[in-house]
Amino acid sequence: MGAGASGLAFADTLAAEANVDVMLVDRREAPGGHWRQAYPFVRLHTPSAYYGVNSLALGDDRIDEAGENAGFYERATGEDVREYFAKVAERLTRTGRFHLLLRHEHLGGGLDGEHVRDLTTGEVDDIRVRQKVVDARYLEASIPAAHVPPFEVAPSARVVPVNDLPEVTGPKALFAVLGSGKTAVDACVWLLENGVEADRIRWIRPREAWFYDRRHFQPLDQVAGLMEGLALDAEAGAQASSIGDLFERLENTGRLVRVDPSSPATMFRGTMLSSRELHAVRQIKDVVRLGRVKRIEADRVLLDRGEVATRPEVVHIDCTALGLNNAPGTPIFQRGRIVLEQVRHLSPCFNAALIAFVEAHRTEDADKNRLCPPNPYPSSIEDWPGMMTRTWRAERRWLREPDLSAWVAASRLNLLRDLPEHASEPAAQAALERFVTHVPAAIDKLEGLSAPPPSVQTPEGR
Ligand SMILES: Cc1cc2nc3c(=O)[nH]c(=O)nc-3n(C[C@H](O)[C@H](O)[C@H](O)COP(=O)(O)OP(=O)(O)OC[C@H]3O[C@@H](n4cnc5c(N)ncnc54)[C@H](O)[C@@H]3O)c2cc1C
């Protein structure tokens, strides 16, 4: 259920590892999930090199020469990602064991199978499932084009989703960007790059956010920098005495950045920025920090902690959609059912493929769940310790399973895939040693700092 990146990455690896038939059901008109409705200037946050499905490369692993990503591995545009997933679905369909049922909505399970509604005719049918139902929509992304803004808009106020930004720019236009996350950063950078001066942009930030520095997410020939980032996580975790101290360490070492270092930041969604993007958005000085927007009128914006004046001609750009889904952890392998979630933190494609490999090569659900414990997406700084310790514990378990660790090592979706080839470089070697030295102490230390474990509930109870 769900033909986004997760459903496709799962189906691709399952088809390679087991002799099964897979049907993917989606209410959209084409595969690719939220990318079908992404804003026009969206790009992957991470390099294309480790995004998508295991059996097919995305892009050519080129290094960008210009722009905000200069010096780093290419990141696919929304159009590239849509074309890629269409190709993935086409290749899978050619195997004869894969079926794509589009414009059909899954309504839930019944005695005669899974109920799905044909969105063209309105008819409801049952799909008989021979093996398992796979919920590839549990972490469905919430995006500006599809969400309902969480604030009221008076008829005379101008509010548009970020998708419409290219259509509303003009030589004298004024903008207010709403949101603290990566989409809001993308909107600000896009405006600045398209000739809008910083003093024509107001940025309404409900929370201050932490971002990773993109230089620590470069794979292949730059994997030493990636390993350095992981070593910084382990060192900060092993030495931290509180959440505040932890984030101070992560900032002091350059692992994490925030737009305004003088404002306390509480939001952590695991997204990343390059130093060029950071430099660009720091030019915007009109920043409103009065909490979440409650209502926008022609001449004022009402927020949690006060109001600010606006004008009828100001275009308010909605970038407040949640993006990553905050659903709580639930067991991934359940009776007759698999729920696709994160295991290694913040790696949706890798995790979907990993879960498929484990499904194909292990028999007991308890064993599968031991290897794939759920790791919910983070929202705030309190989520960082639990997110990291769950990853480190799971990775330790994989290392004791020769077939699984061989699959992880070879997978194109594994961002550390090229580490063995570069392990003799002094920088990579030193970072690896620091990582291995500090992880055990970090796990112990972070247990004490962790938010309570994610509540475990069934997907239906969400
Ligand atoms: C702007 C943006 C950029 C991102 N960039 C990156 C990145 O660079 N790297 C990275 O690793 N991750 C990135 N992510 C995270 C992203 O969420 C994942 O990469 C991935 O695309 C999510 O795929 P998904 O299949 O889990 O969810 P979705 O793409 O949301 O797909 C879920 C699908 O389920 C379908 N569905 C839901 N309910 C039903 C139902 N009842 N019946 C039928 N169909 C249903 C939906 O129609 C949808 O197509 C990004 C996210 C966003 C929002």
Side-chain angles (χ1 to χ4, degrees):
M1 303 305 165
S6 302
L8 287 162
F10 176 88
D12 173 77
T13 294
L14 194 67
E17 301 291 335
N19 186 14
V20 290
D21 282 336
V22 181
M23 173 176 275
L24 275 196
V25 180
D26 202 296
R27 56 160 97 96
R28 284 192 159 96
E29 72 295 343
H34 73 86
W35 293 102
R36 306 290 324 169
Q37 281 175 285
Y39 43 98
F41 47 91
V42 74
R43 298 186 94 90
L44 283 177
H45 301 174
T46 50
S48 303
Y50 51 87
Y51 192 82
V53 305
N54 200 27
S55 72
L56 184 66
L58 169 59
D60 302 315
D61 299 338
R62 277 192 303 263
I63 303 285
D64 281 353
E65 282 172 13
E68 76 203 27
N69 199 51
F72 295 145
Y73 281 97
E74 63 178 280
R75 292 151 52 211
T77 63
E79 189 56 36
D80 296 336
V81 176
R82 288 191 287 274
E83 279 173 18
Y84 170 82
F85 282 134
K87 196 163 157 193
V88 167
E90 210 181 285
R91 278 165 42 109
L92 281 167
T93 305
R94 266 191 260 125
T95 64
R97 295 190 286 126
F98 174 87
H99 315 272
L100 194 53
L101 190 61
L102 296 168
R103 290 203 43 78
H104 278 70
E105 178 160 46
H106 179 233
L107 303 174
L111 287 179
D112 294 325
E114 298 296 311
H115 302 318
V116 293
R117 177 187 289 125
D118 182 333
L119 295 177
T120 311
T121 64
E123 274 172 33
V124 176
D125 264 331
D126 290 331
I127 299 177
R128 277 184 192 280
V129 179
R130 283 204 296 268
Q131 295 273 343
K132 289 186 180 178
V133 176
V134 181
D135 184 349
R137 43 144 295 281
Y138 186 64
L139 297 181
E140 180 176 13
S142 161
I143 54 166
H147 91 141
V148 178
F151 48 81
E152 291 172 24
V153 181
S156 47
R158 286 188 79 189
V159 181
V160 299
V162 63
N163 296 52
D164 295 351
L165 187 49
E167 283 143 46
V168 293
T169 36
K172 295 256 160 29
L174 299 170
F175 298 92
V177 175
L178 319 177
S180 306
K182 178 67 171 75
T183 304
V185 171
D186 284 355
C188 293
V189 171
W190 189 89
L191 286 167
L192 294 164
E193 278 180 352
N194 283 275
V196 177
E197 298 82 10
D199 59 8
R200 285 201 278 139
I201 306 170
R202 165 180 281 174
W203 192 352
I204 299 182
R205 297 209 290 260
R207 293 194 283 174
E208 291 296 305
W210 290 101
F211 299 91
Y212 286 114
D213 185 326
R214 177 163 288 129
R215 82 193 140 100
H216 291 134
F217 285 83
Q218 303 306 309
L220 308 173
D221 289 345
Q222 299 184 28
V223 71
L226 207 155
M227 197 61 238
E228 168 68 17
L230 298 176
L232 294 174
D233 286 341
E235 280 171 346
Q239 289 156 9
S241 57
S242 65
I243 298 278
D245 180 46
L246 173 69
F247 276 76
E248 205 175 307
R249 289 172 189 277
L250 292 167
E251 182 174 44
N252 288 344
T253 54
R255 173 62 161 159
L256 295 182
V257 296
R258 52 186 156 159
V259 177
D260 179 356
S262 68
S263 287
T266 56
M267 171 172 158
F268 174 75
R269 301 290 277 152
T271 49
M272 61 195 72
L273 297 183
S274 67
S275 53
R276 286 178 189 231
E277 284 171 298
L278 196 59
H279 179 73
V281 296
R282 280 180 175 159
Q283 296 171 68
I284 299 170
K285 301 297 177 204
D286 182 3
V287 178
V288 176
R289 294 188 187 87
L290 293 172
R292 288 176 204 274
V293 173
K294 286 159 63 177
R295 181 174 166 81
I296 304 183
E297 299 177 354
D299 59 354
R300 61 180 189 155
V301 179
L302 287 86
L303 301 107
D304 284 337
R305 297 191 296 274
E307 65 177 69
V308 287
T310 188
R311 302 205 323 237
E313 63 271 28
V314 175
V315 187
H316 299 83
I317 312 293
D318 178 24
C319 304
T320 62
L322 207 50
L324 300 183
N325 190 317
N326 281 342
T330 188
I332 289 177
F333 294 93
Q334 304 179 10
R335 195 140 57 93
R337 185 177 192 87
I338 299 172
V339 184
L340 299 186
E341 293 169 81
Q342 302 309 289
V343 181
R344 175 184 270 176
H345 62 287
L346 301 166
S347 310
C349 297
F350 170 81
N351 289 321
L354 170 91
I355 293 167
F357 182 89
V358 170
E359 168 65 9
H361 295 285
R362 297 293 182 277
T363 47
E364 301 300 323
D365 279 354
D367 194 29
K368 296 176 192 174
N369 280 323
R370 184 180 63 81
L371 296 170
C372 300
N375 197 354
Y377 278 130
S379 171
S380 77
I381 52 176
E382 277 82 21
D383 297 327
W384 194 97
M387 177 190 85
M388 291 310 304
T389 49
R390 285 190 287 272
T391 291
W392 290 328
R393 284 182 189 284
E395 287 179 345
R396 276 206 309 216
R397 288 178 203 154
W398 304 344
L399 283 175
R400 292 186 212 115
E401 315 269 328
D403 62 336
L404 180 56
S405 50
W407 179 86
V408 170
S411 171
R412 69 164 285 269
L413 303 174
N414 172 20
L415 72 183
L416 284 166
R417 178 186 27 151
D418 273 32
L419 187 60
E421 268 182 47
H422 295 267
S424 58
E425 291 169 15
Q429 205 168 43
L432 185 58
E433 274 171 26
R434 283 158 50 215
F435 174 78
V436 172
T437 306
H438 287 98
V439 161
I443 291 177
D444 283 349
K445 182 61 79 71
L446 291 173
E447 295 278 277
L449 302 183
S450 280
S455 58
V456 171
Q457 59 181 56
T458 60
E460 291 81 5
R462 210 175 121 200

